[in-house]
Amino acid sequence: MKNINIIDCTLREGNQHPGVYFDEYNSILISKSLSELGVKTIEIGHPVINESELIKIKNVISKSDGVEFLCHARANIKDIKAVVETGAQWVG
């Protein structure tokens, strides 16, 4: 049987739906639930959007074990530095 790795985008795409906002508490619950389901990588957002988004992403990553995170960034140094600051393992 082949290894299948799932990259879940609930915390990024779901958060962009009109009327939806996952706060830090719910983002942690969702990331832990996804990890328990066997998801290996979670797309979590754009940390350069604003300071509160960067802090939320950083805190979710620091409180979630057993899963890797992917943050999105534009192809510029400011965006990439924001991703590095979060502790995410991947940039998209």
Side-chain angles (χ1 to χ4, degrees):
M1 182 172 174
K2 292 183 181 180
N3 274 344
I4 297 174
N5 294 320
I6 296 172
I7 300 173
D8 185 272
C9 62
T10 302
L11 292 177
R12 184 181 62 82
E13 289 290 335
N15 216 29
Q16 294 180 22
H17 187 359
V20 173
Y21 176 74
F22 299 129
D23 63 11
E24 183 178 320
Y25 175 79
N26 286 309
S27 295
I28 291 168
L29 288 178
I30 291 167
S31 71
K32 288 183 177 190
S33 295
L34 290 168
S35 179
E36 288 171 8
L37 288 171
V39 172
K40 300 295 183 203
T41 306
I42 297 173
E43 294 184 29
I44 193 166
H46 289 268
V48 78
I49 290 173
N50 58 48
E51 186 69 19
S52 63
E53 185 70 5
L54 184 140
I55 291 167
K56 179 181 84 169
I57 291 170
K58 191 175 185 176
N59 289 338
V60 172
I61 291 172
S62 73
K63 294 175 179 150
S64 302
D65 295 324
V67 65
E68 293 185 340
F69 287 90
L70 180 149
C71 288
H72 283 258
R74 295 168 296 186
N76 68 54
I77 196 68
K78 181 181 176 186
D79 284 31
I80 303 300
K81 284 182 176 181
V83 172
V84 170
E85 188 176 340
T86 69
Q89 295 86 358
W90 296 94
V91 177

